Amino acid sequence: DTAVSQTPKYLVTQMGNDKSIKCEQNLGHDTMYWYKQDSKKFLKIMFSYNNKELIINETVPNRFSPKSPDKAHLNLHINSLELGDSAVYFCASSQGTSVNTQYFGPGTRLTVL
Amino acid sequence: LAKTTQPISMDSYEGQEVNITCSHNNIATNDYITWYQQFPSQGPRFIIQGYKTKVTNEVASLFIPADRKSSTLSLPRVSLSDTAVYYCLVGDKGSARQLTFGSGTQLTVLP
């Protein structure tokens, strides 16, 4: 069974569209994250939820809105997509916020045309 | 945030030991040093974490000098499958806010 799964794996869309990426973890963890990895492999945290509560909200445009319906799911909705949003988005989970126990999903490659 | 500096890339041959050094001059007292491995088209995977001296697990060893301003990830007898990007992170063990991975070190293992 996949521990952290994301859908879709690839997403190609036009500028200005709204899209969502879904993430689910079956590890029983209480904390989930969204990361963005750019073309230079720079990987940066965007959001973190602990027990469905937002605990980290880094400097991210408000076009990005995370939603956590329950502890096992953290979805990322992006409005009015821009060219600069093209990247690979990774979901991760951990028990607590300890940096050593994060499990990452396979990533979603978003391409904005 | 303690900033980390790693080599952009390294090449090695199968069977050799590989040492990747990370500089973190501004490391704080509560900070731990963590290394992740990322294969192409996959998410990062935790390898090892340490606070001081030496830590060893089934995958790697982590050497941390007394001043903790640097650390070295040691991979024994690498194989082609160890080709990946290796990230060094420094941060408070209890705070995910410290998690900026940087650009990592691309290790290429050659036959």
Side-chain angles (χ1 to χ4, degrees), chain A residues 16 37 61-62 82 94 111:
Chain A
Q37 185 168 46
N62 57 16
E82 300 177 357
S94 68
T111 303

Side-chain angles (χ1 to χ4, degrees), chain A residues 35 37 41 43 97 99 102, chain B residues 36 38 87 93-94 99 101:
Chain A
Y35 289 84
Q37 185 168 46
K41 300 294 185 183
L43 185 65
T97 56
V99 302
Q102 289 204 21
Chain B
Y36 275 76
Q38 185 178 23
Y87 294 95
K93 191 175 182 180
L99 288 177
F101 280 63

